[in-house]
Amino acid sequence: QQQVKQSPQSLIVQKGGISIINCAYENTAFDYFPWYQQFPGKGPALLIAIRPDVSEKKEGRFTISFNKSAKQFSLHIMDSQPGDSATYFCAASSYSGAGSYQLTFGKGTKLSVIP
Amino acid sequence: DSGVTQTPKHLITATGQRVTLRCSPRSGDLSVYWYQQSLDQGLQFLIQYYNGEERAKGNILERFSAQQFPDLHSELNLSSLELGDSALYFCASSALTGGAGLFFGEGSRLTVL
């Protein structure tokens, strides 16, 4: 069964704090791990992604940490801002060529950043 | 703006009816994916088309069907609608060269009364 388990389901963080969302996967064939950010009434938007040959990727305040042996990856949002309040989805994918991704999503984490 | 266009944005209909949701992928993208997102639920993969052909199937009900046309736009047909079909339906497309994941449209919100 291809599953991606995401936790926590919801998260409240003070402005300026660090938000951490964790995901675990089972299928070792996954080779691409994106994070999506979704605001209410909008579609998910790709935030940051990592491939399993690196252990960390940083883009601005967003960092993905990847542990291949534990089959876990996490999203860290540094200096969290109220504008970061959204639902975050992790995903795991295997690329089957010709632009075809088989994405499996976690159930999402609703992040609220309070002033 | 992801470049993926979905219509209609909102749709209200009655049980037993049939609706069609439309999606135009980003320019140049050949793959189209359909996802269902119910209230407080994650994204459930329904079906994928690549250049007009069905490529992968997920948790799509038999009452639902989709197709991708020669101009690459796609339609998702939902028939014999039930209350439980009320959800956000997202379309996404992906680049041929890969590496950038999926680009989602803003969704079609279906309400079945």
Side-chain angles (χ1 to χ4, degrees):
Chain A
Q1 175 98 20
Q2 295 193 9
Q3 280 189 348
V4 176
K5 295 181 180 179
Q6 183 172 347
S7 63
Q9 192 172 354
S10 64
L11 181 61
I12 299 175
V13 172
Q14 204 87 30
K15 178 183 175 183
I18 303 174
S19 303
I20 302 175
I21 304 170
N22 300 300
C23 285
Y25 64 98
E26 298 172 355
N27 189 345
T28 55
F30 289 140
D31 58 7
Y32 176 71
F33 300 87
W35 285 88
Y36 285 82
Q37 179 188 55
Q38 185 180 24
F39 293 105
K42 300 291 186 181
L46 182 63
L47 186 63
I48 186 172
I50 197 168
R51 295 200 180 273
D53 52 346
V54 298
S55 60
E56 186 175 282
K57 183 173 181 180
K58 184 176 181 179
E59 289 185 1
R61 296 184 294 108
F62 300 90
T63 300
I64 299 178
S65 297
F66 187 84
N67 186 329
K68 188 175 181 178
S69 60
K71 292 187 284 186
Q72 295 175 346
F73 58 111
S74 60
L75 175 70
H76 295 235
I77 306 174
M78 311 300 287
D79 187 25
S80 298
Q81 299 297 313
D84 297 330
S85 298
T87 300
Y88 293 81
F89 293 94
C90 65
S93 170
S94 54
Y95 181 62
S96 53
S100 293
Y101 292 86
Q102 302 305 315
L103 270 176
T104 301
F105 283 89
K107 289 196 178 295
T109 296
K110 187 172 183 179
L111 171 66
S112 299
V113 181
I114 54 176
Chain B
D1 183 4
S2 67
V4 177
T5 304
Q6 288 188 248
T7 57
K9 290 192 183 303
H10 302 276
L11 192 56
I12 301 174
T13 188
T15 54
Q17 295 298 305
R18 171 191 170 94
V19 298
T20 298
L21 310 180
R22 181 188 169 102
C23 168
S24 294
R26 295 187 320 154
S27 178
D29 287 356
L30 300 180
S31 277
V32 169
Y33 306 75
W34 285 97
Y35 283 84
Q36 180 192 56
Q37 185 177 42
S38 301
L39 192 64
D40 295 329
Q41 293 295 310
L43 290 147
Q44 299 294 317
F45 170 65
L46 295 178
I47 197 164
Q48 180 211 347
Y49 279 82
Y50 173 76
N51 201 22
E53 294 189 3
E54 182 183 305
R55 190 71 180 256
K57 216 171 205 180
N59 301 320
I60 188 167
L61 299 172
E62 285 192 11
R63 300 183 286 108
F64 296 179
S65 64
Q67 58 184 128
Q68 187 179 27
F69 295 86
D71 67 352
L72 301 177
H73 91 270
S74 177
E75 292 181 357
L76 179 66
N77 300 297
L78 315 175
S79 62
S80 302
L81 285 168
E82 302 175 359
L83 296 177
D85 298 327
S86 295
L88 266 169
Y89 291 85
F90 286 104
C91 169
S93 69
S94 61
L96 178 63
T97 53
L102 268 59
F103 294 86
F104 284 82
E106 297 212 333
S108 293
R109 181 175 292 281
L110 172 66
T111 302
V112 182
L113 300 176

